[in-house]
Amino acid sequence: MNILNLKASLAAVVLAVLLPISSQAAPAGEGSTKLDNATCLECHETGKREIEVTDKDGEAVALPAVVPDKFAKSVHAGMDCVACHTDIVDAKEAHQKAANVAKPDCASCHVQLWDEA
């Protein structure tokens, strides 16, 4: 095993430890709906329906859907969606977004893990 493979393996372990697989409860007033993967997939699973958002220019942009079988085989399979999508705070159709929270950025976690490896 070369040093890059070792660092990548170590980074995966560190990521699994740093981002626990706990479900997050919705904020007060949102009921008991959990922000777990099953709840997310109720809308975001491939074949359910196309979901569009408006970009900064006011144009409709289709969000890619999640293919559960592929996600289950991915390196991120043990993680909750909200571990990366920290800006999502409710399970409503038009999600309320947390103030001052950046959209998911893969590089931020992966660079941090690389530096710590």
Side-chain angles (χ1 to χ4, degrees), residues 75-94:
V75 68
H76 298 110
M79 296 173 56
D80 282 333
C81 302
V82 293
C84 294
H85 295 271
T86 58
D87 57 328
I88 304 296
V89 297
D90 65 22
K92 293 181 180 180
E93 183 172 336

Side-chain angles (χ1 to χ4, degrees), residues 59-105:
E59 299 291 324
V61 177
L63 291 178
V66 176
V67 180
D69 293 342
K70 287 186 178 183
F71 181 76
K73 295 174 186 173
S74 77
V75 68
H76 298 110
M79 296 173 56
D80 282 333
C81 302
V82 293
C84 294
H85 295 271
T86 58
D87 57 328
I88 304 296
V89 297
D90 65 22
K92 293 181 180 180
E93 183 172 336
H95 294 297
Q96 176 182 348
K97 302 293 176 93
N100 301 320
V101 176
K103 291 183 178 185
D105 174 19

Side-chain angles (χ1 to χ4, degrees), residues 46-67:
T46 300
K48 297 278 179 146
R49 63 187 173 93
E50 185 174 328
I51 299 174
E52 291 184 341
V53 295
T54 305
D55 67 10
K56 64 181 178 183
D57 299 322
E59 299 291 324
V61 177
L63 291 178
V66 176
V67 180

Side-chain angles (χ1 to χ4, degrees), residues 6 12 17-18 30 36 43 46 60 65 69 94 100 108 110 116:
L6 182 60
V17 171
L18 290 177
E30 293 298 321
D36 59 7
C43 296
T46 300
D69 293 342
N100 301 320
S108 62
H110 286 268
E116 293 172 359

